Amino acid sequence: MYKVTGTDPTGRALTFACGTDLQALDKVRELMARGFRDISVADPKGQQTNGPAFERSVGLEYD
């Protein structure tokens, strides 16, 4: 499971569970569009990546 974490515009930290890298990519893009900051993604192995870097690495496969 991928875990996407970000801070919403009001300052609350929220975490979203995603089953696949594609779902995590969609969530990262959604949160960025909604004004979230400090977005990060933890993959099933526990590797932490910031949102934009994750988008670049995975997004190339799905664009």
Side-chain angles (χ1 to χ4, degrees):
M1 174 181 358
Y2 289 81
K3 294 181 184 177
V4 180
T5 304
T7 305
D8 75 5
T10 65
R12 290 185 305 165
L14 300 172
T15 301
F16 303 89
C18 301
T20 67
D21 58 348
L22 181 56
Q23 290 173 337
L25 176 63
D26 289 342
K27 183 57 72 175
V28 167
R29 289 177 173 172
E30 175 193 340
L31 296 180
M32 289 172 67
R34 292 174 49 196
F36 277 64
R37 61 187 189 282
D38 303 327
I39 299 169
S40 65
V41 180
D43 69 14
K45 296 177 184 176
Q47 178 85 18
Q48 190 96 4
T49 308
N50 71 30
F54 181 79
E55 182 179 27
R56 284 190 299 275
S57 68
V58 176
L60 298 175
E61 300 172 23
Y62 295 105
D63 283 340

